[in-house]
Amino acid sequence: MSTVLYDSRDPRCKSPFGAIPTDEVATFRVFLPLLYQLRDPCLVVYKADRWEQPERIPMAFESSDGVRARYACIFYAPDPQLYFYRFSVQGVNGPLWIVRDQDGFGVLSPQEGAMWQLTVYDRGLSVPDFLHQGIYYQIFPDRFCASGAPKEGVPSGRWMHADWYELPNYRPDRDGQYTNSDYFGGDLEGIRQKLPYLKSLGVGTLYLNPIFEAHSNHRYNTADYLKVDPLLGSEEDLRRLCREAGELGIRVLLDGVFNHTGADSVYFNKNRRYGEHTGAYNDPQSPYRSWYQFTHYPDKYESWWGFLELPSLNEKDPSYTQFICGPQGVLKHWLDCGVSGWRLDVADELPDGFLDQLCASVRAYRPDAAIIGEVWEDASNKVSYGQRRRYLLGGQLDSVMNYPFRTAILNYIRYGDCSGFYNTVMGILENYPRPVWAGLMNCLSTHDVERAVTALAGEPTGQNDREWQGHNNTLSPQRYALGKQLLKLAAVLQYTLPGTPCLYYGDEAGLYGYKDPFNRSCYPWGREDGELVAFFQRLGQLRAGCPQLAGADFCMACCTPQVAAYTRDGGTYSLFVAVNRTDTPQPVSIPGDFEGAQALFGGLEGGQLPAYGAVVLSTL
């Protein structure tokens, strides 16, 4: 601390740590070396994106130890708001700034430099408790488990794989198009049949990729928001799944794709599947016409990232908003069926007004339901389409998918990037409200990125195309063995860091693969890696035995290219977690409070972490 002017993560400099609720006072302190002859420090606070009128708060002298002088002030914010701040001081030769360096520490600068962030969130922000209990388990419905139950009313244009274990189609058709029209037959009944298995993993929340009728295997091109896709089953199948999952303490979240529909849908009906003169594309008088934005009717219209098969919706249109959020709308219909909330696809593209109304509607219909957003970056300061978002200030999202943690964990375990790991974890904890970060969906794999084993041990994807990915998709036995070791280490971090782990179906069974569609292979029933499944079951038991771990205090004890170690304080218990990402034993320093503590997971050998080893100690 002797050479540090300010450190936002040190309670001597800022208290309390991190984001604060409205009406809470934050105290700031700077430590000015007497040798520098600095005086008149001020805290300079800016409301996000309103840089022209900062608030300047003089800092009062508190004490001096003969080397440094300590100055302090308080800051109070009555409204939810994102702030940025730095400090001004007077130097011998004129004004100077204390600004944030790349590691987060305060340094002197003659220029207005980088700032720290302060998130002030609504004191009433409350997150459903179930997000902190158990783990998330993400399922791509067509690929998890096929019950074999007969299906009725299956739309045309689909074909089924005969072999459950073969790769999904990844080559274009004769027209050069990727149609995603191949299916394996996974369904809701198959998921229901596997509920005991999911319970054995410690699952508390099932997150299902889209289940509504749509004419692709990924179903992000919704055709009918009020109908379960016939290949997945019926509405009664969903009700039964939610009911029986609930009896095991498992909630179900659905994927809400509310930014766009399919062109081949009830609402747009470009291909006339739903009649000759219905839908916005074929009928200018259609009740859905105002949902879409045509620049030249009917052949030119706004679409998601230019994909014409995904026409964009106008979320500001009152009739569309009513259709989704109204008393007889989509949200209420499926909440009444027993689902416990929504994961919102491409949340960046949903306007604030729509998110406000969606949240208010869900809260009105089912106060304990959850809303989680797909946001790939730091969601606390996200700017999308030129607009600063307020997802986490209250009244919108309960939490988000935590891709920053994924990147940090994988880069640390594979490459030893300890700086990126430390700064990412601490940055999220500093910027997010505690209720939000406790419910973070901490993933290592999803349907949009490489499987974790491939990301850890395969050739990097880089800019290589599908053909290259398909040719290189298989891991050699040696590569798989290494990836499996590294996945275990990554999972220990995933399961013990703040937030809630999200297991992508099949990661625990040894599935690997590059990006879409290789990350969407079928769960290998009967061919699982049993050792890996047992490993994840033990991790699930660890979570179950440590209530409130999701939101427990975090303190990094060590972070080097070889070993990462930290503590979690859950009030009635504390954990010490350490992982060795190298192929040689590594020494680890055990905090005094954990001398003789019980090993909940892994262990030490002669006071060292074994090669690719991990340990979780508990003071329970």
Side-chain angles (χ1 to χ4, degrees), residues 65-358:
D65 60 4
V67 177
R68 298 171 304 164
R70 185 176 72 184
Y71 293 82
C73 69
I74 62 172
F75 178 74
Y76 165 83
D79 301 310
Q81 176 68 49
L82 183 65
Y83 294 92
F84 292 92
Y85 66 92
R86 53 194 164 206
F87 304 90
S88 67
V89 294
Q90 288 296 318
V92 173
N93 297 315
L96 294 169
W97 295 89
I98 300 174
V99 299
R100 186 181 188 276
D101 73 6
Q102 62 182 5
D103 294 316
F105 299 120
V107 296
L108 278 177
S109 170
Q111 306 295 328
E112 297 181 353
M115 295 185 279
W116 293 269
Q117 176 177 319
L118 175 64
T119 305
V120 179
Y121 61 94
D122 190 329
R123 179 170 290 276
L125 186 150
S126 176
V127 173
D129 287 341
F130 75 85
L131 294 184
H132 310 152
Q133 299 164 2
I135 70 168
Y136 296 100
Y137 192 88
Q138 180 189 349
I139 289 177
F140 194 82
D142 183 59
R143 311 288 162 80
F144 180 64
C145 181
S147 69
K151 306 297 188 299
E152 297 180 357
V154 177
S156 60
R158 309 181 182 198
W159 70 271
M160 299 290 293
H161 286 264
D163 182 355
W164 177 259
Y165 302 100
E166 66 186 0
L167 275 181
N169 282 2
Y170 65 90
R171 290 191 170 97
D173 62 19
R174 65 183 62 185
D175 297 321
Q177 301 297 312
Y178 296 100
T179 61
N180 296 297
S181 59
D182 61 316
Y183 294 79
F184 287 85
D187 54 16
L188 297 177
E189 172 60 15
I191 298 172
R192 187 197 67 79
Q193 291 174 1
K194 297 299 183 181
L195 285 174
Y197 167 72
L198 298 174
K199 185 65 176 178
S200 78
L201 293 170
V203 174
T205 303
L206 273 179
Y207 154 45
L208 306 182
N209 288 118
I211 66 166
F212 305 141
E213 179 169 300
H215 307 299
S216 68
N217 52 45
H218 57 71
R219 299 186 175 94
Y220 280 96
N221 52 342
T222 311
D224 190 336
Y225 285 109
L226 295 173
K227 184 179 180 182
V228 172
D229 191 277
L231 269 184
L232 293 178
S234 65
E235 185 173 305
E236 180 50 41
D237 290 327
L238 178 63
R239 289 178 181 271
R240 186 181 182 191
L241 171 62
C242 292
R243 183 171 61 252
E244 296 191 15
E247 292 169 358
L248 294 174
I250 299 174
R251 306 288 191 111
V252 177
L253 299 182
L254 297 185
D255 215 327
V257 188
F258 301 134
N259 171 258
H260 50 267
T261 64
D264 190 6
S265 66
V266 171
Y267 317 105
F268 203 73
N269 199 30
K270 185 175 183 178
N271 302 337
R272 292 185 168 87
R273 183 190 294 268
Y274 297 95
E276 285 294 316
H277 302 291
T278 61
Y281 187 86
N282 295 302
D283 181 3
Q285 304 305 314
S286 167
Y288 312 120
R289 170 68 178 80
S290 61
W291 294 12
Y292 301 95
Q293 300 164 85
F294 292 89
T295 55
H296 184 277
Y297 186 81
D299 56 311
K300 294 183 179 180
Y301 48 87
E302 292 188 14
S303 58
W304 186 72
W305 286 41
F307 293 103
L308 294 179
E309 64 270 25
L310 299 175
S312 296
L313 289 158
N314 177 13
E315 298 93 343
K316 298 179 181 179
D317 179 73
S319 66
Y320 174 67
T321 303
Q322 184 74 0
F323 173 74
I324 299 296
C325 304
Q328 306 301 319
V330 171
L331 298 173
K332 185 173 188 299
H333 178 85
W334 298 108
L335 290 171
D336 286 346
C337 285
V339 306
S340 294
W342 301 87
R343 176 266 194 188
L344 301 181
D345 184 55
V346 293
D348 292 349
E349 313 210 13
L350 300 174
D352 277 331
F354 182 79
L355 283 177
D356 292 340
Q357 189 156 347
L358 186 149

Side-chain angles (χ1 to χ4, degrees), residues 483-493 531-532 535-536 539:
K484 179 176 169 179
Q485 293 273 30
L486 298 180
L487 174 62
K488 289 179 178 181
L489 296 182
V492 170
L493 297 179
E531 179 192 346
L532 204 52
F535 180 88
F536 277 92
L539 281 178

Side-chain angles (χ1 to χ4, degrees), residues 208 252 401 428 491 591 619:
L208 306 182
V252 177
M401 299 182 75
I428 294 297
T619 61

Side-chain angles (χ1 to χ4, degrees), residues 22 49 284 363 365 435 467 488 545:
T22 50
D49 306 315
R363 292 287 182 265
Y365 304 143
E467 192 64 32
K488 289 179 178 181

